[in-house]
Amino acid sequence: MALEKSNNYSAADIEILEGLAGVRKRPAMYIGSTNSTGLHHLVWEIIDNAVDEALNGYGDKITITIHKDGSVSVLDEGRGIPVDIHKQTGMPAVQLIFSTLHSGGKFSSKVYASSAGLHGVGSSVTNALSEYCDITVFKSGSIHHLRFENGGKLAIPLEVLGSTKKHGTLVRFKPDSKIFSTTNFQFEIISNHIQESAFLLKGVTFALTDERNGEKVEFCYKEGIKEYVSNLCKEKSQLGEVLTFSGEEDTIKIDIAMQYCSRDYGEYIYSYANNVRTKDGGTHESGFRSGITKAVNDYAEENQLLKGKIKLEGTDIREGLTAVISLKIPEQKLEYEGQTKQKLGTPEALTIVSNFVYNNFSYYLNENKEFAVNLIKKCIDAQNARVAARKAKDEIRNTKRAKSEMILSDKLTPCQSKDYDKNELFIVEGESAGGTARKGRNNLHQAILPLRGKPLNTDSVSTEKMLKNEEFATIVNTIGAGFGEDFKADNSHYGKVIIMTDADTDGAHIQTLLLTFFYNYMKPLILKGKLFVAMPPLYRVSKEVNHKLVYRYAWDEADLEKAKKEIGAGYRISRYKGLGEMDANQLWESTMDPSQRQLCKVTIEDPVSAAREISILMGNDTVIRRQWVEENVNFNEVDSFIDEVK
Ligand code: 2B7
């Protein structure tokens, strides 16, 4: 919306206030949600601007602080946001940037679109959703300052506080507790986010301090995405070194780092366009895949390494591959596909990346014979396993025996309804808890699959082996939507798949083994938000009143205190050490009944931590794993795998 009159301040003021009020009215439209994810989004908006300034070559350090009052500040060492008067509105530019919604493209004319420009909302959204927002600009020898309060209302107009030799911008804001369901910033979430940025922004230092407890981290990667990949692979058995290919083709800049690992059956490709993660891939990822496939097949053929065998498929070639693809695309060429805009659509990127990868990887293979031969051996192993798995699958399909008898374990207690969206599959730790769940369940919509012992670690076995495992075969077949590349989340026979374990270390381990399976074979189920972890209560507080038992469940220590108060004097506390200590009715009402239970939705927010956690937990090093579980799995808090309580 352009302003009609050049010096009509009040009209400009009104438009700005209406804009920010709109953000407060419908915050989810701008930041996705008002839960912990949305809260952290406020920080990303500010960091994005600091990152852009560093990307333009101004300043190589970004300092983030979580303050005791619940505010966060971000300091960059760039040029400082302009403080001069913007002609059309008569306002200082910095004030305008923090109070208008379309500040992204309007004030900048860069070649490469940036994260801030992409989302197009910027700092004003953070301001609109904050109790206060202080901006200090170090520029031209002076310290400039202004302050907004109560969702972006100007409280202190631009003033000069003194003189300085420094240059840069400092933004400190406190999210509005009236808007967010939580205002508790999490060190780990911010730390993971800035680590990802640090990998993508070679040589820029990101420092984070938590003044609530003194915790600190600092990230700076001189070798950028090369270190990203070596970090992702550090717990694994690597095949060869991290390869990096960089170049520019038709104004598109390409940076790729990749490494193969043996004894790993996953494929881990993280792609970015202009430093923004493209979660759903797109043309650059497709180009990368086809380039790799062609390079390996051509090399194998030219050197007669396939010995009469049929060509390798892309999946054979990508088993155990970790890669980071980072493209810089000029604004006018940037296209996205789909609703979430997390899939690159730029058609040119497909051929450019494909040819680039083909040429560079072919050259590398020819120069490194030993690696090439080992890689192709590994690919042939994958091909053999794939063919065997397909055969096993076909055998299951063609068998004469009754389908249910053959594919579904008799341990599965199905539900009656065929209304798939409403159906829930509970995967339960232990046969005895499974029995209790079977008695307590709603048999129309809830199916129960008890597990005996620890599930198989699918990170270290082939697909064929996974399919031979009774529990996983049953999970694959009862979900009925295929697995791996063929998995179609929309065909799932369950709207929710719910993992239900004891709240102890063994339970945590079982959860991670199951999460690993779903991550490796049914990732879309997680992305579509259909995978959950049940949260059994830790306590029940009860009391007899007039010969009737009144009680309430409690999920953690704080909740227990509340429950004690609610029930009042004379209460009794039962502590549940496991699901097995509840009877069918208790398990139903506390953990399974949709109207009372608490579920955690499993999400994969950022690739750095998801991949690291999976590889640490599932890698062969049991010492590291044990240590990690003990340090990180806290059932009184929501684990980082799992970040939303419904
Ligand atoms: C599109 C808008 C948002 N901006 C500038 C210049 C420097 C600059 C910024 C920033 C966040 C926390 C510390 C350009 C760009 C506005 O125009 S935003 N630095 N840092 C920031 O927001 N950090 C700029 C040209 C000449 N001089 C300054």
Side-chain angles (χ1 to χ4, degrees):
M1 251 183 291
L3 295 172
E4 287 280 310
K5 275 199 183 154
S6 62
N7 57 357
N8 188 344
Y9 303 155
S10 59
D13 287 342
I14 288 163
E15 184 181 310
I16 282 165
L17 284 176
E18 278 175 353
L20 296 190
V23 177
R24 290 177 67 78
K25 225 181 207 168
R26 308 181 71 184
M29 254 186 60
Y30 298 89
I31 52 164
S33 69
T34 52
N35 59 16
S36 175
T37 309
L39 177 79
H40 288 86
H41 209 104
L42 301 184
V43 188
W44 314 154
E45 289 295 343
I46 302 298
I47 292 181
D48 277 352
N49 287 320
V51 161
D52 278 352
E53 189 62 4
L55 206 61
N56 289 336
Y58 301 98
D60 58 5
K61 184 162 185 188
I62 296 171
T63 308
I64 297 121
T65 309
I66 309 173
H67 298 283
K68 281 195 174 133
D69 70 345
S71 64
V72 161
S73 64
V74 180
L75 169 70
D76 71 36
E77 299 179 11
R79 292 164 293 180
I81 301 182
V83 291
D84 47 335
I85 301 292
H86 179 255
K87 281 203 193 95
Q88 277 156 33
T89 56
M91 276 182 207
V94 57
Q95 184 185 337
L96 206 58
I97 284 167
F98 276 81
S99 30
T100 45
L101 287 177
H102 29 49
S103 55
K106 208 169 171 183
F107 299 93
S108 62
S109 51
K110 277 169 284 163
V111 181
Y112 295 99
S114 61
S115 42
L118 175 83
H119 305 308
V121 285
S123 334
S124 56
V125 167
T126 298
N127 187 20
L129 301 175
S130 291
E131 283 175 28
Y132 70 76
C133 182
D134 271 300
I135 302 124
T136 311
V137 177
F138 307 91
K139 196 179 176 73
S140 323
S142 300
I143 305 172
H144 310 262
H145 168 260
L146 74 165
R147 178 180 170 96
F148 296 92
E149 284 176 8
N150 285 321
K153 298 193 181 78
L154 188 64
I156 304 176
L158 190 62
E159 57 183 352
V160 172
L161 293 181
S163 58
T164 182
K165 285 195 178 117
K166 286 199 288 191
H167 50 89
T169 302
L170 170 67
V171 176
R172 176 168 173 171
F173 66 95
K174 182 171 190 281
D176 195 332
S177 57
K178 293 194 287 297
I179 304 254
F180 293 94
S181 62
T182 170
T183 50
N184 185 26
F185 282 112
Q186 278 184 265
F187 185 87
E188 203 188 335
I189 293 179
I190 298 179
S191 164
N192 284 333
H193 184 95
I194 61 173
Q195 187 177 21
E196 188 181 4
S197 302
F199 281 130
L200 292 165
L201 233 75
K202 254 186 202 179
V204 174
T205 300
F206 287 77
L208 171 64
T209 302
D210 190 339
E211 287 184 344
R212 298 170 302 185
N213 57 13
E215 211 173 332
K216 274 179 203 280
V217 276
E218 209 173 280
F219 302 107
C220 179
Y221 301 104
K222 296 229 153 44
E223 295 188 288
I225 61 170
K226 181 176 185 187
E227 282 174 271
Y228 193 168
V229 169
S230 58
N231 197 282
L232 289 166
C233 293
K234 71 169 180 259
E235 312 287 339
K236 303 183 186 177
S237 53
Q238 294 132 24
L239 178 67
E241 56 193 334
V242 182
L243 314 183
T244 55
F245 307 124
S246 298
E248 182 171 340
E249 218 68 62
D250 272 344
T251 70
I252 294 181
K253 291 184 194 161
I254 310 168
D255 279 294
I256 290 171
M258 56 183 264
Q259 185 169 41
Y260 277 97
C261 297
S262 46
R263 295 209 300 274
D264 184 312
Y265 301 90
E267 172 188 327
Y268 313 92
I269 298 179
Y270 304 107
S271 64
Y272 297 83
N274 298 336
N275 287 343
V276 182
R277 176 93 209 279
T278 34
K279 249 195 194 141
D280 302 330
T283 47
H284 52 346
E285 257 192 61
S286 305
F288 173 79
R289 291 195 166 89
S290 76
I292 295 279
T293 304
K294 191 161 157 32
V296 173
N297 264 318
D298 282 5
Y299 182 88
E301 211 167 299
E302 278 158 24
N303 295 278
Q304 279 133 38
L305 294 168
L306 292 179
K307 303 195 190 93
K309 272 187 164 271
I310 39 167
K311 264 192 169 180
L312 298 163
E313 279 189 10
T315 52
D316 305 332
I317 295 170
R318 294 190 302 271
E319 241 187 50
L321 175 63
T322 298
V324 173
I325 305 163
S326 173
L327 257 64
K328 302 275 162 51
I329 304 172
E331 190 126 40
Q332 73 272 14
K333 287 190 182 178
L334 196 58
E335 283 176 38
Y336 288 96
E337 272 173 32
Q339 281 243 300
T340 53
K341 302 230 164 170
Q342 303 200 70
K343 187 171 185 181
L344 185 71
T346 306
E348 239 185 300
L350 184 84
T351 41
I352 287 181
V353 176
S354 177
N355 291 336
F356 177 81
V357 169
Y358 175 75
N359 292 336
N360 281 282
F361 196 38
S362 294
Y363 182 82
Y364 184 86
L365 292 172
N366 280 300
E367 294 289 300
N368 297 275
K369 290 261 179 279
E370 195 189 323
F371 169 79
V373 169
N374 285 334
L375 173 61
I376 285 164
K377 265 196 205 132
K378 175 175 159 43
C379 297
I380 293 172
D381 286 348
Q383 185 186 40
N384 290 337
R386 173 174 54 80
V387 171
R390 174 88 26 200
K391 234 171 98 186
K393 219 172 151 185
D394 289 346
E395 268 169 27
I396 291 174
R397 206 175 276 146
N398 299 334
T399 184
K400 285 275 184 309
R401 268 192 274 177
K403 230 180 171 183
S404 58
E405 192 188 317
M406 181 61 205
I407 316 171
L408 300 178
S409 146
D410 54 8
K411 302 260 160 27
L412 177 81
T413 308
C415 55
Q416 293 157 357
S417 168
K418 289 274 174 284
D419 189 350
Y420 294 153
D421 264 358
K422 290 203 180 119
N423 288 350
E424 302 179 341
L425 174 64
F426 279 83
I427 304 173
V428 186
E429 173 183 359
E431 312 242 16
S432 97
T436 313
R438 196 155 45 226
K439 279 191 221 116
R441 74 184 174 133
N442 164 347
N443 51 15
L444 186 60
H445 288 305
Q446 295 181 326
I448 310 292
L449 178 69
L451 298 176
R452 71 181 119 71
K454 294 272 166 80
L456 187 70
N457 177 358
T458 52
D459 246 0
S460 51
V461 301
S462 64
T463 305
E464 192 190 358
K465 244 210 167 135
M466 181 281 287
L467 284 173
K468 286 207 172 125
N469 176 276
E470 189 185 358
E471 271 93 359
F472 285 128
T474 302
I475 291 174
V476 167
N477 288 309
T478 188
I479 289 178
F483 64 91
E485 298 253 297
D486 304 328
F487 183 77
K488 300 261 180 308
D490 290 338
N491 294 350
S492 171
H493 290 192
Y494 300 92
K496 291 191 170 73
V497 174
I498 301 167
I499 299 170
M500 187 159 77
T501 70
D502 292 339
D504 59 13
T505 317
D506 270 354
H509 190 208
I510 290 172
Q511 281 181 18
T512 55
L513 289 162
L514 289 168
L515 291 174
T516 304
F517 163 80
F518 285 108
Y519 184 86
N520 286 340
Y521 289 103
M522 298 189 180
K523 203 182 285 169
L525 194 78
I526 306 180
L527 298 174
K528 288 250 160 111
K530 294 184 177 194
L531 184 63
F532 297 83
V533 175
M535 299 289 270
L538 294 177
Y539 305 100
R540 191 175 79 144
V541 182
S542 61
K543 187 169 76 178
E544 220 170 290
V545 181
N546 300 331
H547 304 291
K548 261 181 73 185
L549 194 71
V550 292
Y551 57 89
R552 180 193 181 292
Y553 296 98
W555 274 265
D556 59 27
E557 308 304 321
D559 201 25
L560 177 63
E561 292 310 313
K562 266 199 228 155
K564 285 184 196 166
K565 283 205 186 95
E566 273 176 40
I567 299 292
Y571 57 75
R572 245 193 60 197
I573 301 175
S574 342
R575 194 192 145 87
Y576 297 122
K577 293 213 189 66
L579 299 170
E581 294 183 3
M582 285 187 245
D583 65 29
N585 182 52
Q586 290 167 350
L587 187 61
W588 159 254
E589 59 185 17
S590 68
T591 314
M592 298 175 73
D593 176 3
S595 68
Q596 304 185 58
R597 71 188 178 195
Q598 300 203 20
L599 290 184
C600 286
K601 188 190 277 179
V602 177
T603 60
I604 326 174
E605 270 304 315
D606 72 303
V608 186
S609 58
R612 181 175 53 218
E613 284 170 15
I614 296 262
S615 73
I616 289 178
L617 287 161
M618 299 300 100
N620 296 326
D621 194 336
T622 51
V623 178
I624 295 183
R625 176 166 68 220
R626 174 57 40 99
Q627 200 183 332
W628 190 94
V629 170
E630 273 159 17
E631 281 173 12
N632 289 281
V633 181
N634 177 355
F635 283 86
N636 293 331
E637 265 175 32
V638 178
D639 180 341
S640 57
F641 259 128
I642 301 163
D643 75 7
E644 218 170 279
V645 182
K646 277 263 161 77

